[in-house]
Amino acid sequence: MPDLAEGQPTPIVLAAMGSFHIGGREIEITGKPVREVALNPGRAATRIDPNGRYQVEQMYVQYFVPEPRRGQLPLLLWHGGGLTGVTYETTPDGREGWLNWFVRQGWAVYNSDAVERGRSGFAPPEVFTGDALFLPKKNGFERFRIGDGVGSYDDDPSKRRVLSGNLFPADAYDQFCRQIVPRWTSTDPAITAAYLALLEKVGPSVVLIHSQSGQFGTTVAQARPDLVKALVLVEPAGFPVTEDLGALARVPMLAVYGDFIAEDARWPEIRAKGEAFLARVRAAGGRADVLDLPQAGIHGNSHMLMMDRNNTAIAELIQSWLAGLGLWR
Amino acid sequence: MPDLAEGQPTPIVLAAMGSFHIGGREIEITGKPVREVALNPGRAATRIDPNGRYQVEQMYVQYFVPEPRRGQLPLLLWHGGGLTGVTYETTPDGREGWLNWFVRQGWAVYNSDAVERGRSGFAPPEVFTGDALFLPKKNGFERFRIGDGVGSYDDDPSKRRVLSGNLFPADAYDQFCRQIVPRWTSTDPAITAAYLALLEKVGPSVVLIHSQSGQFGTTVAQARPDLVKALVLVEPAGFPVTEDLGALARVPMLAVYGDFIAEDARWPEIRAKGEAFLARVRAAGGRADVLDLPQAGIHGNSHMLMMDRNNTAIAELIQSWLAGLGLWR
């Protein structure tokens, strides 16, 4: 277990903090039998009529507005697949995450859980087709460039093969697994709709995505370039399917890539798709920068950059890029 | 939609904020076929081997440590059934909730999502027996003493029959429904174990429960009266099954009840069970106080007291009781 991060360097001063749910829709379920359900074993049953309207596909958002503000726009943090906004909170080994770091730097941060994950809840089987996907512990270790590929995970932590020089806190990998949540594979349209609703509520923002959310960030920016003023793509794994990237050319973007990509089983292809996407944005007249960390002399980063031991150094590079756009002063 | 609560009265100063997951266990799943899964529709499939170890039944906890501190112990907020820690955050109509209020009063607050809810994630079907329970929108309206009983809910908000004088922000009821999450009915032991693990990590604390968590708060206090220094039972709906309440007699407790109970279909029985439990604690030599809000001249509270329009007035009464124990100075 990590220690509680109570020994934080200086106080965080917030003009406001709070949360809300946004988006989603109502559905109606009919024709089901009324049931007597013991909500807790051994207790009296309660009569439950499952028929009626349900709220589904909403999204949870928690916000922290610091004082004073130096970020010129809200900063929206969108997590990757199988995870929640916890991605950006305390790291698995108990250090401060990017949420705290950006708040301390004066950004109003909005941290959300994608539709069907975490505090967003999930809809009845009538809405989400297919089953939730559960992944065993080995999956992330072998897929997120923490371990040395397939077979590197072992149930015995002392026998796991960590990539040499890896900066992920591998001794806290078991703790990291506690934040992994099930996901459906059929919910992309609902997630995209909720992120659009969030931007419409919050207004012009900087969007920072990770991994799976690449497709959500780029799709939403393509739809509303007036609301996405900058897009930070942290190891994006998905992109919009559209051919016309004209709207995206209005949104400055930065892609950030960690280490160990060339030797990985999957990442050379994912990155090649990303670079091809960025080239198309540039061809359409847009700005699409790449921060290749090893090329910049920063070695050892896994796919979970925001949890790696040098997480604040990477956040600083991202913020410098945003400062160059006049979005942090 | 509520406004963002950005117009909060004074800054919140935090010595620390962060989150962690605690508790749970590992299970092993074997004998399943390896599958090719398209994690996102239209994308290339990924090879997923579902066999191996899984982390299950952990619990998410978010903490806020204010500066200066006036609460003499950590304050743990445990939510009710079908909900998450969002219960204590911003109210559905956009006011500050009990989380902010207690933090502003100098309490180090630990707000958690019970096992299988919210950011705690949920386990594969091999672990949780039965299906998740989904409740239609009408259920909470009719069951939480917001509407005037069965039949009071209508899909058209203007046609809903709200209890006369009710202080729940009924015009934000649709927004409230966005925070309702599915629940299993077979997870009580796992939830109890996770709350015990939390107390063992945080140390002696004040525990404030709501509704379903009555059984978790009282069961945990019975097991570890050395760690639960005071127990605030906000409309408790469950209690420990044990006959021997000797350990609980060491834990001062306060039960808080709102309005409209006598006329409700279910609450007279639930409250009678609660009062019988409190009488048994007293008979065992314990202190078990009751704050009956209507008797105290405070009328109109629903089951969701922490969201009602007078939510901070009720929090003040709870804090006064804690101050009387020397736990707030």
Side-chain angles (χ1 to χ4, degrees), chain B residues 31-262:
Chain B
K32 299 256 180 186
V34 175
R35 292 190 300 159
E36 298 281 328
V37 179
L39 291 176
N40 304 297
R43 314 261 169 195
T46 300
R47 186 184 162 86
I48 301 277
D49 176 1
N51 300 295
R53 291 205 182 206
Y54 289 73
Q55 169 68 40
V56 300
E57 296 175 352
Q58 64 284 354
M59 182 172 73
Y60 171 77
V61 186
Q62 189 174 36
Y63 60 89
F64 301 88
V65 182
E67 186 175 285
R69 287 173 73 160
R70 300 186 65 186
Q72 302 300 302
L73 294 173
L75 173 63
L76 279 46
L77 302 180
W78 298 359
H79 60 78
L83 296 165
T84 68
V86 177
T87 294
Y88 298 107
E89 298 180 351
T90 308
T91 66
D93 59 336
R95 290 169 291 116
E96 289 188 87
W98 281 7
L99 168 62
N100 278 27
W101 192 89
F102 280 107
V103 168
R104 288 181 182 282
Q105 296 292 320
W107 292 90
V109 178
Y110 291 71
N111 192 24
S112 46
D113 296 349
V115 171
E116 47 99 343
R117 278 169 243 178
R119 287 175 163 178
S120 297
F122 57 96
E126 287 80 357
V127 173
F128 290 162
T129 55
D131 294 322
L133 180 68
F134 297 85
L135 295 175
K137 289 180 66 185
K138 65 185 174 192
N139 186 282
F141 193 83
E142 297 173 353
R143 198 158 58 91
F144 294 164
R145 307 196 321 272
I146 298 167
D148 189 11
V150 173
S152 59
Y153 179 83
D154 194 282
D155 293 335
D156 177 352
S158 72
K159 293 184 180 164
R160 294 175 192 163
R161 278 201 329 271
V162 177
L163 280 163
S164 177
N166 197 302
L167 291 175
F168 186 87
D171 47 358
Y173 181 76
D174 289 345
Q175 180 65 14
F176 169 67
C177 289
R178 291 185 162 92
Q179 71 176 261
I180 296 171
V181 297
R183 65 190 276 194
W184 278 258
T185 56
S186 56
T187 49
D188 289 6
I191 294 173
T192 302
Y195 281 139
L196 270 170
L198 174 60
L199 275 162
E200 283 161 8
K201 177 181 175 68
V202 175
S205 298
V206 173
V207 173
L208 185 155
I209 71 86
H210 178 234
S211 197
Q212 180 199 19
S213 275
Q215 71 189 93
F216 305 127
T218 51
T219 300
V220 164
Q222 172 77 359
R224 293 300 303 267
D226 56 319
L227 293 178
V228 181
K229 293 301 188 186
L231 189 54
V232 178
L233 303 163
V234 179
E235 298 219 342
F239 306 95
V241 287
T242 175
E243 287 299 307
D244 171 20
L245 297 185
L248 265 171
R250 293 167 54 193
V251 180
M253 59 186 79
L254 172 70
V256 183
Y257 292 102
D259 207 344
F260 313 112
I261 285 182

Side-chain angles (χ1 to χ4, degrees), chain A residues 19 26 51 60 89 137, chain B residues 19 26 60 89 137-138:
Chain A
S19 68
E26 291 195 8
N51 300 296
Y60 171 77
E89 298 180 350
K137 289 180 66 185
Chain B
S19 68
E26 292 196 8
Y60 171 77
E89 298 180 351
K137 289 180 66 185
K138 65 185 174 192

